[in-house]
């Protein structure tokens, strides 16, 4: 099994999986081909869409075209020379309760038809299942997974190990650990279909990340039944390398037209907001007046174009290191997606550990939603774990963020430093830090480290972002060893929040002066700070006392 990863962003990765029918580049969307109703022929997928891989159902093939499939093999039967993945009836179990095939037979059948990526006959956990029933599906799936190595005879097929447990996360974790002990080349989250249909994307985040956390990260991960392209960015950001969907065809049957922003009924459309070959050639009136079969096929083609296009967009975002920004944009397509993106905060440490945090481009920070992004989590961790203030520094001066980046080049900061520092020794006694959204405290000597100067923020900041920054300031002061702290707050921007969060810091030998100003760059303020610091330097060798001073300059 070879899975080569070229780029990462969040848990998304651009990679390449080698199969016996060639390589596939991930993340990849696999259209579902129903062997009984081929709305779009596999050959068309390959020729018109450049599609290199599809998924079909081994259970349906075995029921309806068993002899042909065994004789020709699945590639020739479908007339498709790309990579074929097969599912094995789990969806039918979920829908009809049971299937008339035994697990050993479906393993053997997939080998006989020479599929490239095969799936054991797992037992999906229904969303409504009681916990004991859910546990039964997990145990039976693990049991069947354990049988695979005794039954399979070929070594050139990649086998998928489905993870069950539904929304019972302890069961998902247990299932993931058990499945990852077995020799599967791909792991998959089974049975999220009902969750997807009900737009419970926040539960999908929990299920997927619980599975990811409990399986080795270098194994490709599949999401069964991914659905609508508006959630592809989320699926990829959660670390799904492969995902399949039949939605393009199901939607087409119901006159539904997919866009990356949601779905339109064909009857609602006056214009096609798309430039695929179908939408260039026809307008909505043309399609509406067509016979059902033709209309359905053209809608399915448009829907497929939308799906493939979205995957390419997501991949490009990974290359640019802009997956977070893209995910935020997609989050605003539907409240259920925003809810899911908000859920990522719960997993921010795991995502940060697996994400690239140094990028070619700067970050865009729009709102507090972005506080969970890996780069911000990473900086917070690094500052706490790896940074210590210069030993000779006795006084901490905390200034609100200037407009200019890097901060040390700001005119007011330079002027202030010049006023205080008529000798090196004095300069070294003072540590100057800026507190800035979205990162928190930035020591001036670090301000050129990526991405502390390489980002753009949308102002005015929202309350949650201000509170986050204030909390970072508080933690920084609390864990430092400075005797004297001067905290300057620009009240126009910070509205007293930083002062109020830091007021109750309990620490031995800390004298803290809160200086609230309305105009941080005024001559009077700069001179006042310089004079106060001068005085502080004079007596910084005296025994420290606990004190709080409140000064407001207007
Ligand atoms: Zn189109």
């Amino acid at each position: 099994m070879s899975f080569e990863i070229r780029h990462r962003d969040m848990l998304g990765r651009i990679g390449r999986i080698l199969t016996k029918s060639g390589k596939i580049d991930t993340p990849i969307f696999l259209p579902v081909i129903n062997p009984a109703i081929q709305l779009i022929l596999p050959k068309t997928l390959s020729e018109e869409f450049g599609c290199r891989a599809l998924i079909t159902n081994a259970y349906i093939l075995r029921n309806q075209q068993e002899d042909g499939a065994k004789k020709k093999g699945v590639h020739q039967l479908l007339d498709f020379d790309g990579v074929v993945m097969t599912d094995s009836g789990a969806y039918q179990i979920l829908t009809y309760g049971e299937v008339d095939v035994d697990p050993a037979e479906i393993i053997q059948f997939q080998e006989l038809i020479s599929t490239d990526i095969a799936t054991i006959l797992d037992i999906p956990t229904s969303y409504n299942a009681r916990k004991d029933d859910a546990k039964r599906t997990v145990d039976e799936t693990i049991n069947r997974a354990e049988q695979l190595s005794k039954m399979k005879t070929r070594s050139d097929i990649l086998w998928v190990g489905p993870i069950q447990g539904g929304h019972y996360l302890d069961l998902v974790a247990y299932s993931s650990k058990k499945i990852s002990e077995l020799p599967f080349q791909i792991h998959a989250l089974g049975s999220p279909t009902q969750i997807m249909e009900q737009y419970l994307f926040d539960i999908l985040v929990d299920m997927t990340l619980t599975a990811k956390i409990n399986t080795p990260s270098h194994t490709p991960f599949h999401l069964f039944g991914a659905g609508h392209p508006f959630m592809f960015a989320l699926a990829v950001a959660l670390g799904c390398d492969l995902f399949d969907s039949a939605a393009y065809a199901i939607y087409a049957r119901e006159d539904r037209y997919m866009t990356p922003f949601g779905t339109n009924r064909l009857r609602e459309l006056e214009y096609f907001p798309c430039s695929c070959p179908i939408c260039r050639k026809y307008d909505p009136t043309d399609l509406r007046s067509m016979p059902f079969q033709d209309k359905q096929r053209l809608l399915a083609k448009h829907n497929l174009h939308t799906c493939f296009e979205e995957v390419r967009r997501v991949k490009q975002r990974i290359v640019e290191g802009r997956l977070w920004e893209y995910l935020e944009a997609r989050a605003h397509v539907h409240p259920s997606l925003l809810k899911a993106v908000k859920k990522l905060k719960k997993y921010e440490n795991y995502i940060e550990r697996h994400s690239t945090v140094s990028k070619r481009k700067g970050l865009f920070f729009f709102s507090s939603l972005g506080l969970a992004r890996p780069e911000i989590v990473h900086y917070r961790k690094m500052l706490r774990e790896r940074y210590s203030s210069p030993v000779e520094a006795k006084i901490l001066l905390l200034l609100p963020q200037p407009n200019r980046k890097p901060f040390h080049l700001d005119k007011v900061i330079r002027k202030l430093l010049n006023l205080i520092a008529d000798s090196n020794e004095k300069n070294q006694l003072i540590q100057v830090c800026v507190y800035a959204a979205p990162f928190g405290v930035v020591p001036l000597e670090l301000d050129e480290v990526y991405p502390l100067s390489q980002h753009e923020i949308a102002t005015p900041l929202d309350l949650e972002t201000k509170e986050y920054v204030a909390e970072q300031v508080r933690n920084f002061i609390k864990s430092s060893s400075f005797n004297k702290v001067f905290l300057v707050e620009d009240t126009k921007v910070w509205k007293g929040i930083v002062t109020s969060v830091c007021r109750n810091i309990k620490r031995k030998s800390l004298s803290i002066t809160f200086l609230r100003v309305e105009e941080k760059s005024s001559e009077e303020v700069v001179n006042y700070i310089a004079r106060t610091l001068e005085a502080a330097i004079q007596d910084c060798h005296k025994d420290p006392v606990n004190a709080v001073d409140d000064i407001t300059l207007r």
Side-chain angles (χ1 to χ4, degrees):
M1 170 67 190
S2 141
F3 181 40
E4 183 193 315
I5 296 172
R6 283 196 298 127
H7 295 278
R8 294 171 189 275
D9 197 9
M10 299 183 67
L11 303 179
R13 43 208 185 175
I14 305 260
R16 183 165 283 180
I17 299 173
L18 208 57
T19 76
K20 67 180 171 57
S21 295
K23 51 187 191 280
I24 46 175
D25 288 329
T26 63
I28 189 166
F29 155 67
L30 306 152
V32 175
I33 289 291
N34 183 337
I37 325 156
Q38 292 187 14
L39 185 57
I40 310 273
L41 294 173
K43 199 180 172 62
T44 310
L45 278 180
S46 153
E47 288 173 357
E48 277 183 35
F49 295 84
C51 168
R52 289 294 308 141
L54 57 79
I55 183 167
T56 190
N57 189 306
Y59 172 69
I60 298 177
L61 276 179
R62 173 264 194 195
N63 279 5
Q64 299 180 355
Q65 302 176 56
E66 186 174 3
D67 293 340
K70 281 182 181 170
K71 209 167 98 198
K72 294 181 181 168
V74 70
H75 296 84
Q76 204 192 330
L77 184 82
L78 295 177
D79 192 17
F80 183 71
D81 63 358
V83 173
V84 175
M85 175 172 175
T86 40
D87 191 1
S88 55
Y91 182 74
Q92 282 68 25
I93 295 178
L94 198 61
T95 314
Y96 308 113
E98 56 181 57
V99 290
D100 61 345
V101 64
D102 76 74
E105 190 190 344
I106 204 81
I107 290 173
Q108 198 191 24
F109 180 71
Q110 289 177 93
E111 287 197 334
L112 284 171
I113 64 173
S114 203
T115 188
D116 300 301
I117 302 173
T119 314
I120 60 160
L121 184 60
D122 54 326
I123 308 289
T125 315
S126 162
Y127 179 63
N128 303 315
R130 291 204 332 249
K131 191 155 185 190
D132 50 345
D133 287 332
K135 176 77 165 70
R136 204 177 39 76
T137 62
V138 168
D139 288 340
E140 182 53 24
T141 299
I142 293 167
N143 180 28
R144 291 177 178 195
E146 285 167 346
Q147 302 303 314
L148 174 68
S149 50
K150 286 177 220 153
M151 291 172 190
K152 67 172 190 178
T153 58
R154 295 177 62 157
S155 57
D156 56 350
I157 292 174
L158 306 179
W159 280 91
V160 177
I163 290 160
Q164 300 297 347
H167 61 283
Y168 300 106
L169 300 185
D170 55 336
L171 292 182
V172 174
Y174 170 76
S175 176
S176 308
K177 282 179 191 149
K178 285 290 184 187
I179 290 290
S180 52
E181 286 166 9
L182 298 167
F184 286 105
Q185 290 77 38
I186 296 172
H187 295 133
L189 186 71
S191 60
T193 317
Q194 292 157 313
I195 284 162
M196 231 83 88
E197 280 165 3
Q198 296 173 52
Y199 282 12
L200 302 172
F201 299 121
D202 56 321
I203 296 178
L204 181 74
V205 168
D206 278 331
M207 288 166 65
T208 310
L209 290 183
T210 304
K212 291 289 291 187
I213 289 167
N214 290 287
T215 49
S217 63
H218 55 265
T219 308
F221 195 89
H222 181 88
L223 177 67
F224 278 112
H228 199 288
F230 74 11
M231 58 76 64
F232 287 1
L234 177 68
V236 172
L238 297 176
C240 300
D241 304 294
L242 310 96
F243 40 90
D244 63 89
S245 174
Y248 73 95
I250 297 167
Y251 278 44
R253 209 151 52 221
E254 298 161 353
D255 268 5
R256 289 196 284 167
Y257 177 98
M258 284 175 167
T259 81
F261 312 100
T263 311
N264 287 105
R265 298 271 170 191
L266 183 58
R267 64 167 188 274
E268 302 164 347
L269 285 170
E270 216 164 304
Y271 308 98
F272 281 145
C274 167
S275 303
C276 80
I278 310 303
C279 299
R280 280 205 309 267
K281 190 165 174 192
Y282 304 99
D283 66 26
T285 319
D286 299 334
L287 247 65
R288 280 194 289 265
S289 59
M290 278 182 191
F292 179 75
Q293 289 297 336
D294 296 343
K295 180 179 65 179
Q296 188 188 194
R297 194 172 38 80
L298 292 175
L299 272 178
K301 281 190 173 183
H302 155 80
N303 288 346
L304 269 176
H305 279 295
T306 306
C307 292
F308 285 118
E309 195 177 274
E310 180 68 359
V311 174
R312 288 195 295 271
R313 251 186 236 122
V314 172
K315 285 165 86 169
Q316 180 58 29
R317 293 304 188 210
I318 295 177
V319 174
E320 290 169 3
R322 280 274 165 82
L323 186 57
W324 181 278
E325 280 87 345
Y326 193 65
L327 193 59
E328 275 199 39
R330 280 286 170 268
H332 289 86
V333 163
H334 195 281
S336 61
L337 280 170
L338 181 57
K339 198 172 167 190
V341 174
K342 286 183 176 177
K343 195 60 165 286
L344 296 179
K345 177 133 194 67
K346 180 176 162 191
Y347 301 95
E348 61 183 12
N349 289 318
Y350 176 77
I351 297 172
E352 179 269 335
R353 268 205 307 283
H354 290 86
S355 186
T356 302
V357 287
S358 195
K359 298 181 168 168
R360 286 190 288 176
K361 291 196 175 199
L363 316 180
F364 289 163
F365 183 80
F366 300 100
S367 72
S368 59
L369 190 61
L371 292 172
R373 65 181 296 160
E375 299 84 351
I376 295 175
V377 177
H378 181 74
Y379 176 71
R380 188 173 72 223
K381 270 172 73 177
M382 290 299 111
L383 192 70
R384 190 179 61 225
E385 291 165 13
R386 305 260 181 93
Y387 178 79
S388 46
S389 300
V391 278
E392 58 281 9
K394 303 282 180 238
I395 300 164
L396 171 65
L397 173 62
L398 275 157
L399 297 168
Q401 70 192 92
N403 295 331
R404 167 118 200 224
K405 291 188 296 268
F407 304 136
H408 74 270
L409 295 182
D410 174 70
K411 236 165 64 189
V412 177
I413 291 185
R414 274 180 19 220
K415 191 171 164 195
L416 191 57
L417 293 178
N418 285 339
L419 279 175
I420 313 159
D422 49 11
S423 76
N424 261 341
E425 193 217 353
K426 279 186 188 175
N427 213 357
Q428 285 168 1
L429 286 171
I430 303 170
Q431 159 127 56
V432 183
C433 295
V434 160
Y435 56 90
F439 296 100
V441 175
V442 178
L444 274 196
E445 71 268 28
L446 296 185
D447 72 352
E448 280 180 294
V449 173
Y450 181 90
L452 300 173
S453 287
Q454 299 80 4
H455 65 274
E456 296 296 330
I457 53 173
T459 51
L461 302 171
D462 57 28
L463 179 64
E464 224 177 316
T465 303
K466 287 178 194 166
E467 285 173 348
Y468 172 83
V469 172
E471 200 55 44
Q472 303 314 305
V473 175
R474 184 178 198 279
N475 294 343
F476 188 81
I477 297 174
K478 218 176 152 189
S479 59
S480 73
S481 55
F482 296 103
N483 300 345
K484 283 181 188 295
V485 174
F486 290 88
L487 198 160
V488 182
E489 176 166 345
D490 173 357
T491 50
K492 266 190 200 156
V493 175
W494 296 91
K495 312 282 182 201
I497 293 168
V498 183
T499 304
S500 109
V501 168
C502 296
R503 190 178 297 280
N504 298 321
I505 297 174
K506 297 269 180 289
R507 217 201 68 199
K508 239 178 80 184
S509 314
L510 173 69
S511 136
I512 180 161
T513 303
F514 296 101
L515 181 62
R516 284 184 300 278
V517 299
E518 269 183 14
E519 187 45 73
K520 65 185 172 203
S521 57
S522 78
E523 196 80 10
E524 187 202 353
V525 168
V526 174
N527 287 332
Y528 182 86
I529 297 171
R531 278 201 312 276
T532 319
L533 285 171
E534 274 291 346
I537 291 168
Q538 299 308 322
D539 58 12
C540 78
H541 296 295
K542 287 186 194 159
D543 282 342
V545 283
N546 280 55
V548 175
D549 277 328
D550 258 307
I551 297 146
T552 304
L553 286 187
R554 283 182 207 285

